[in-house]
Amino acid sequence: MHAAVVRSFDEPPRFDAFPTPVASGEYEVLVDVLAAGLHPRVRSGADGGHYTSDGTLPLIPGIDGVGRTPDGELLYFVAQDTALGTMAEKAVVDRRRALALPDGTDPVAVAAAMNPGMSSWVALRRRVSLRPGGSVLVMGATGNAGRLAVQIAGHLGAARVIGAGRDAGRLAALKDLGADEVVSLDGDDEDVARRLGQAAGDVDVVIDYLWGRPAQQAMPALLTARTDRSAALFWVQIGSMAGQDITLPSFLLRAGNLNILGSGQGSVTTAGIVAELPSLVEKIASGTLAVDPVTIPLRQVEQAWVTRPTSDRRIVLVP
C-alpha cells in the first residue's frame, strides 16, 4: 500500500510504499481509509514532540479516520496505540475503538470534526459536570476546535457561552454559531483583563485551547471580577497554542475556588473517550455542528504538511 511515512522527525511525511498491515486480533479488521484529519495532535506526533511520543521510526501519522470494511460498513475509528496511524490507503481497525456510521454520512466531515469536537465534548462530559443553565468561556474560540466548542457547549446545556480570541472577523462570526458574547484578547493586559472580567467573571467552566500568556491574563481577571469567589471555577486545559507554560501566583489558589485540570490522553481513558463518540458523531453526521474542511489527496501529503489554512478549517487527507 501507499502511506504518509515519517522516517525522520526533522522532515515532513512523504507519500511512499509501506507494507500493508494485517488484521490478526479477534476484534481487528482491515479497512480502506477514506479520510483522515490533519489535526495539531497529528503534527506533534509526526515531529516527535507530543508527550506520548516514544521515538519509534518509521511511523505513519494519523490518530483517527473514516474507513470502509470489506463488507461495505462505514466506520469512524481511533487508531491503535502503535506507529501505524491512519494516513494510509489501508489501516487495521480495532472494532472496540470504532463506531459504525449511518449510510450517507460524509466521511470528510466526520474526519475533520471528530477530533477537535471531541476535545470539548469529552471535557464537558467526562472532566467536569456542566450544570444545566451554566456558563462557559472558550479561550481560543476562533480556531477550529474553539468554534466547535462554542457550538458544543450550547448543545450540552450551557445557557451562556462566551468566545475569546484575537481575530476580530472570526470573533464576530461566532455569534452565528451560538456565542452570546465575544471578547477580544488583543490589546494591553489591563484592557484585556477588564474585558474578560466584565464578560466572563461569573462563568462556571473555562475551555482553554491557548494556555500561555492569555491564561495568565484571564485567571486573575475572572477571579477578581467574580461575584462569589467561593463559587467553583473549573479551568479545563486542552491546548497550548499560546505557550506551554504559565506563571501561576499562589494567591490565585487561595483567593478563589479555582480548579485547574486537563483533558486529553491519560486524563480520560480510551474506553471513556470511545463511549462518548456515538452522541458526538450524530451531531456531526446530522449537520448540527458546522464543519468546513479542506481536502487534499494523500499523495500530496508533503504539500498538506506545509499548507496552513485559516485556523477555523481542518485539512483532511483523502485517497
Side-chain angles (χ1 to χ4, degrees), residues 27-29 77-78 80 92-99:
Y27 299 98
E28 292 183 347
V29 59
F77 63 98
V78 178
Q80 300 186 61
V92 171
V93 173
D94 185 330
R95 294 299 301 251
R96 295 167 297 182
R97 301 166 71 120
L99 176 69

Side-chain angles (χ1 to χ4, degrees), residues 166-219:
R166 295 191 181 279
D167 188 288
R170 293 178 196 152
L171 273 177
L174 293 176
K175 296 288 188 70
D176 293 332
L177 298 178
D180 298 285
E181 192 167 353
V182 296
V183 179
S184 173
L185 298 179
D186 263 339
D188 62 42
D189 287 359
E190 189 174 325
D191 286 341
V192 171
R194 175 181 51 79
R195 289 193 293 265
L196 284 168
Q198 289 177 347
D202 287 323
V203 295
D204 300 297
V205 177
V206 177
I207 298 294
D208 181 15
Y209 292 102
L210 299 178
W211 206 233
R213 186 173 181 80
Q216 287 188 185
Q217 292 174 314
M219 285 182 187

Side-chain angles (χ1 to χ4, degrees), residues 272-283:
I273 293 172
V274 171
E276 295 298 338
L277 300 185
S279 49
L280 175 58
V281 80
E282 187 278 328
K283 296 292 185 186

Side-chain angles (χ1 to χ4, degrees), residues 30-311:
L30 185 68
V31 303
D32 292 321
V33 179
L34 303 181
L38 179 47
H39 315 300
R41 164 68 179 84
V42 175
R43 291 183 184 275
S44 63
D47 66 17
H50 194 263
Y51 64 85
T52 62
S53 177
D54 63 4
T56 298
L57 289 174
L59 66 83
I60 297 174
I63 58 172
D64 66 349
V66 176
R68 194 174 297 281
T69 70
D71 295 331
E73 188 178 17
L74 193 64
L75 299 178
Y76 168 77
F77 63 98
V78 178
Q80 300 186 61
D81 298 323
T82 71
L84 302 180
T86 60
M87 291 183 170
E89 292 174 331
K90 295 181 180 293
V92 171
V93 173
D94 185 330
R95 294 299 301 251
R96 295 167 297 182
R97 301 166 71 120
L99 176 69
L101 299 174
D103 290 340
T105 298
D106 180 359
V108 172
V110 172
M114 280 296 283
N115 174 265
M118 201 184 306
S119 64
S120 57
W121 187 275
V122 170
L124 292 172
R125 301 256 296 185
R126 291 276 168 166
R127 296 297 284 148
V128 297
S129 295
L130 176 63
R131 61 180 178 84
S135 54
V136 175
L137 167 65
V138 180
M139 296 286 290
T142 56
N144 185 258
R147 281 165 51 90
L148 286 167
V150 167
Q151 299 173 69
I152 286 168
H155 286 300
L156 292 182
R160 189 161 178 264
V161 182
I162 302 113
R166 295 191 181 279
D167 188 288
R170 293 178 196 152
L171 273 177
L174 293 176
K175 296 288 188 70
D176 293 332
L177 298 178
D180 298 285
E181 192 167 353
V182 296
V183 179
S184 173
L185 298 179
D186 263 339
D188 62 42
D189 287 359
E190 189 174 325
D191 286 341
V192 171
R194 175 181 51 79
R195 289 193 293 265
L196 284 168
Q198 289 177 347
D202 287 323
V203 295
D204 300 297
V205 177
V206 177
I207 298 294
D208 181 15
Y209 292 102
L210 299 178
W211 206 233
R213 186 173 181 80
Q216 287 188 185
Q217 292 174 314
M219 285 182 187
L222 298 189
L223 290 175
T224 300
R226 212 156 178 75
T227 302
D228 178 4
R229 293 190 186 182
S230 67
L233 172 60
F234 293 96
W235 191 289
V236 188
Q237 204 286 316
I238 297 177
S240 50
M241 298 300 293
Q244 295 289 333
D245 304 298
I246 68 168
T247 298
L248 179 64
S250 60
F251 81 88
L252 287 181
L253 302 177
R254 302 190 301 271
N257 190 355
L258 175 62
N259 300 266
I260 302 175
L261 62 160
S263 186
Q265 285 178 277
S267 59
V268 182
T269 65
T270 298
I273 293 172
V274 171
E276 295 298 338
L277 300 185
S279 49
L280 175 58
V281 80
E282 187 278 328
K283 296 292 185 186
I284 297 169
S286 67
T288 300
L289 299 178
V291 182
D292 185 21
V294 177
T295 58
I296 295 179
L298 177 63
R299 64 181 179 275
Q300 297 176 14
V301 62
E302 289 184 74
Q303 175 186 328
W305 227 256
V306 298
T307 298
R308 296 289 180 178
T310 58
S311 61

